[in-house]
Structures are given as C-alpha cells and as structure tokens.
Amino acid sequence: MREALDAYFATNPRARGYVLDDQGALRRHMAIFIDGRQLTDPVHLSDAVAAHAEIDIIQALSGG
Amino acid sequence: MSPRCHISTRKGLFTAERGPAGWRIAATHFLGDNCTLTMHDPRTGHLFTALNHGHFGVKLHRSTDSGATWTEIATPKYPEKPADYVPKSAPAEGRPAEWSLKLVWSFAPGGPDEPGVLWCGTLPGGLFKSTDNGDTWELNRPLWDDPLREEWSGGGAEEPGVHSICVDPRDARRIIIGVSCGGAWMTDDGGATWRLSGRGMRAEYMPPGQEFEPNSQDPHLIAQCPANPDVLWVQHHNGIFRSTDHAASWYEITGVLPSAFGFPVAVHPQDPDTAWFVPAVKDEKRYPANGRVVVNRTRDGGQTFETLTTGLPQEHAYDLVFRHALDVDEGGERLAFGSTTGSVWISEDGGDSWAAVSEHLPPVYAVCFEKS
C-alpha cells in the first residue's frame, strides 16, 4: 500500500499531507479500502495490494 | 486606529470593518471550515490563516491582497522520528509527544529587519520558523531537542503547545514563548539556545512542593508591551502574573475580582501598566461569573482593576473567551473580543463601552486587528 500511495503522491505531492500525517501514518479520520477491504495497518501501510486492485481513499465517518 | 478585524471561528473566517455606521461583518472566507487562527503581518500586509480540517489535518493559507484571494502554503511538518529514538527525559504524563502536527496555535512576524521571517507555535510543542513568508517552514531543533521539552504536558488539550510568541521590538533575536504546560521560554540569539524563565509562576495543580516548578507552569497567554518590552503580562491557569524584568522573574497579582482565572490578556501598546482581561469562573466550570460578561482593566500595573460592563450582557450570558480571542489595536483604544457563543464585541474607548458586532457567529477562536 505504501508503494502505491507513493506512486500517486509523486504525481500529486500536495495530496500527501491530506492523507498521511507527518510521520507517514494514515490520518486518524481517513480510511483506505483495498478491493473493498479496510486497510489493516494504518501506521506502516504494509497491506498487500494486487496488481489490478482498486483502492478507495475516503473520509472516515467521524464525529457523528 | 485599525479599520479591520479578522475573526477566526469554528465555521470560517469573518472580517469586520469599521464603516460610517459602525462595525459590521464585511467579508467571509472559508465558510464552513474550522478556522482556528489568523495573523496580519504589518510589514507586508499579508494575512495568514490556519484551517484545521477534521479529515485532512491542519492547512495554512496566505492572502497578499487583503483577503480577496487566498493561496494554500506549506504546513509546518515535523521531521521523521528516528526508529531508534529514545526520549531524553520522562514525559510528564507518561506518554511521549507524537511528532505530528495537531494544531497551529500561534503566529508572529519576525522583526522589521527580518523580511520574510515568521514564527509559528504548534501542538504538540514544536516552534517553527519560516524565512520566506510561509512558503517553507523548519522546526526549531534546539527547543525541540531540549530534554526539558519532553517533560511538557497538555493543558486543555492532550498535547502540550506553544501559544504565545513575543518578538522583542528592540531586538528580534530576543523571543519569549509561552507553553501550556511548559512555562515561559526565552532566547537571546534567534532560537539557537533557549532557557526556561518561569520563576515566580505558581501552579495549584501540582503536588505540594512543586507549585513553583517553572517547566510545569500553565500560562494561558503571555502579552508583551511593545513600548516597554521588559514588561510582560500573563493570564495563567492560576491567576495573573507580571514581569518587569524581561521574564527573568514573575510576580502574582492577587485579589482580582470577580476572578483571576481566564484565558486572554491584552496589554496597551504604549502603556505597560494598562492591561485587559476577561475573567471566568475557575477552573473546571469556565463560564463568566454570575452569568455576566465583563472585561477587567488595570491602569496601574495591577494594583487595582476596573470591571467594565457597558454594552455587555449582564444576565444569563455564558460566553467564554479563548486565549487568542481578545486583541487591542496599535492605538490602545480599540479592542475586540469574541466568545464561544459566537458573540463579538468591539470597544473604541479603551473598554469603557462595548458594541456587539454580531451575537450569532460560530464559536470564536481568535480575533486579530490589522495593525500598521
């Protein structure tokens, strides 16, 4: 997952700070789904991503 | 006198202007976004505002045309924490600070002889400097790497933060910052070296014997008199403190009614003996005493206070005023303050009388006059 995000941020650097915090972890109120399954490692983003996987990066439900 | 005041709120930035018929909201920016702080740089006229998006974190925007257009600029970013990092000192609350920006809590322009220099204080305790009007920011490592920094604790928030930055108008290398909770820190060399300077502040929330520990103090805001920068006023968690020796020592001012508790303080730009406070019931309650919104003013260095009420609600008013939500303009006659209930009042006679600009804004975090 980290590699996939880095590849995207290379084309849109400003998006990085919207999705990840200063230490590179997923922001607390952001969510990532890989082929419909929620990311399991929001700190290190070590989840595997298949070659043609669909990744959704969305605003998490928070604060009611 | 300043004709414009910027009001940072939970749902956007509002600009009040003085017209022939008085003050009115003349412009809105970032409507719906959580706007936590705004600064006007008198050297350039630039405006800087901090937005704290729930999902996307903190972002900074700059306007070079008085708010007509805004550009997103760099956000202060903490450096990568080394994987083998070991804290140099035990954190006060047993949990080390994260190295990730949580809130922009203070802004200050550098000196007149430092074009482009800006300072930015943050949660969880980092002080950042820009030398290019906010295009880039760098963490001040001498302060961040000080072992005593790791003993700071959160005040109202979970993380400690730098909420006050006082740049000495005589010498911009001399800076005093306020930290909740970490007391007052000062540098004489532009941030290369720092020392703790909270001697004399008193913290009731510390166990017996530790009340005067400088690094545990919770100054809510520190204000420096521009005309006499050796005089500083502090609205502290446990009362009002003052220094007349450039923060070498502090002394407590007691007997203040209706309360010595509060968050903001403003000092007169020319008269170091004149300061304004907005008192509240301490400490767990935090509402105006007796449901009356009042401003306390001293004009004799804290020996006596007048409680000013003209134009302010005097029954069932529960407006709390946060630390950055009181400001005085460069003339010392115009003051503004805003509340958690969305009220903003402005005085044009040093606080003798007040007029409401609005009583229906979102919760107000900060007010800021444009100064020349």
Side-chain angles (χ1 to χ4, degrees):
Chain A
M1 187 62 230
R2 172 82 65 190
E3 288 173 32
L5 276 179
D6 283 344
Y8 172 69
F9 294 144
T11 68
N12 184 357
R14 217 173 72 184
R16 176 184 294 273
Y18 280 72
V19 178
L20 305 181
D21 70 14
D22 298 11
Q23 297 303 310
L26 186 66
R27 286 193 176 278
R28 185 171 305 190
H29 300 297
M30 296 297 289
I32 293 180
F33 292 84
I34 304 166
D35 284 331
R37 289 196 330 277
Q38 188 149 12
L39 187 79
T40 61
D41 180 11
V43 174
H44 301 104
L45 308 176
S46 62
D47 292 50
V49 175
H52 298 286
E54 188 168 310
I55 300 170
D56 293 301
I57 302 174
I58 61 178
Q59 303 169 37
L61 175 65
S62 57
Chain B
M1 288 194 284
S2 177
R4 199 168 290 116
C5 183
H6 300 285
I7 304 158
S8 305
T9 81
R10 180 69 182 79
K11 294 290 178 182
L13 172 63
F14 299 83
T15 299
E17 290 185 356
R18 178 67 158 91
W23 290 84
R24 64 182 185 90
I25 304 295
T28 62
H29 315 279
F30 308 107
L31 201 55
D33 288 332
N34 184 16
C35 177
T36 56
L37 191 67
T38 301
M39 176 181 78
H40 172 258
D41 185 342
R43 303 169 303 173
T44 58
H46 294 177
L47 293 168
F48 297 85
T49 199
L51 305 181
N52 194 2
H53 300 291
H55 295 89
F56 305 122
V58 176
K59 303 290 176 259
L60 296 185
H61 295 256
R62 177 179 63 206
S63 177
T64 58
D65 53 13
S66 298
T69 60
W70 295 84
T71 303
E72 185 177 334
I73 59 174
T75 301
K77 186 175 185 296
Y78 282 74
E80 188 174 344
K81 187 175 186 176
D84 56 352
Y85 182 79
V86 178
K88 301 181 198 69
S89 188
E93 293 173 327
R95 183 171 45 83
E98 294 180 38
W99 291 30
S100 197
L101 180 67
K102 298 294 169 60
L103 185 70
V104 162
W105 218 14
S106 48
F107 280 130
D113 57 339
E114 298 179 317
V117 170
L118 304 171
W119 295 93
C120 178
T122 70
L123 268 68
L127 176 69
F128 288 81
K129 182 182 184 182
S130 173
T131 57
D132 50 18
N133 286 310
D135 288 337
T136 60
W137 295 92
E138 187 175 2
L139 178 67
N140 181 276
R141 289 305 299 239
L143 184 65
W144 184 250
D145 293 335
D146 191 306
L148 287 176
R149 191 274 305 166
E150 303 200 71
E151 296 179 8
W152 293 353
S153 61
E158 290 183 10
E159 313 256 2
V162 177
H163 50 65
S164 301
I165 305 170
C166 304
V167 177
D168 194 324
R170 301 165 300 193
D171 179 351
R173 294 169 301 177
R174 304 181 76 192
I175 300 167
I176 296 167
I177 64 168
V179 183
S180 287
C181 298
W185 287 71
M186 58 196 304
T187 176
D188 294 331
D189 51 21
T193 58
W194 292 88
R195 63 185 186 278
L196 184 55
S197 79
R199 186 163 57 88
M201 292 187 196
R202 178 182 62 85
E204 286 175 3
Y205 47 82
M206 294 298 288
Q210 297 181 43
E211 300 96 325
F212 291 93
E213 168 58 48
N215 205 32
S216 302
Q217 299 300 319
D218 185 11
H220 285 170
L221 195 76
I222 302 178
Q224 184 174 41
C225 178
N228 185 349
D230 287 339
V231 175
L232 298 111
W233 289 85
V234 177
Q235 175 64 69
H236 183 286
H237 193 87
N238 289 120
I240 294 171
F241 294 79
R242 187 170 187 252
S243 173
T244 57
D245 54 12
H246 198 256
S249 64
W250 304 85
Y251 62 91
E252 184 168 4
I253 290 169
T254 56
V256 183
L257 296 174
S259 165
F261 181 85
F263 292 96
V265 51
V267 57
H268 193 288
Q270 282 93 45
D271 177 7
D273 288 340
T274 295
W276 295 265
F277 302 83
V278 186
V281 173
K282 70 169 290 232
D283 150 6
E284 296 80 1
K285 302 297 186 182
R286 306 189 178 189
Y287 64 91
N290 306 309
R292 301 169 61 211
V293 175
V294 305
V295 173
N296 267 355
R297 177 179 64 195
T298 178
R299 294 198 278 199
D300 55 14
Q303 294 179 58
T304 61
F305 286 81
E306 304 162 84
T307 297
L308 310 169
T309 62
T310 303
L312 300 174
Q314 295 302 297
E315 61 177 11
H316 288 295
Y318 301 100
D319 297 73
L320 188 68
V321 179
F322 286 157
R323 69 194 74 208
H324 299 116
L326 167 70
D327 196 19
V328 59
D329 81 346
E330 73 271 25
E333 293 297 312
R334 282 189 175 167
L335 293 112
F337 70 102
S339 79
T340 52
T341 313
S343 301
V344 174
W345 293 279
I346 289 185
S347 171
E348 299 190 329
D349 51 16
D352 287 339
S353 64
W354 299 85
V357 179
S358 175
E359 292 171 317
H360 305 287
L361 291 177
V364 174
Y365 294 131
V367 303
C368 159
F369 280 111
E370 284 195 8
K371 297 167 191 171
S372 53

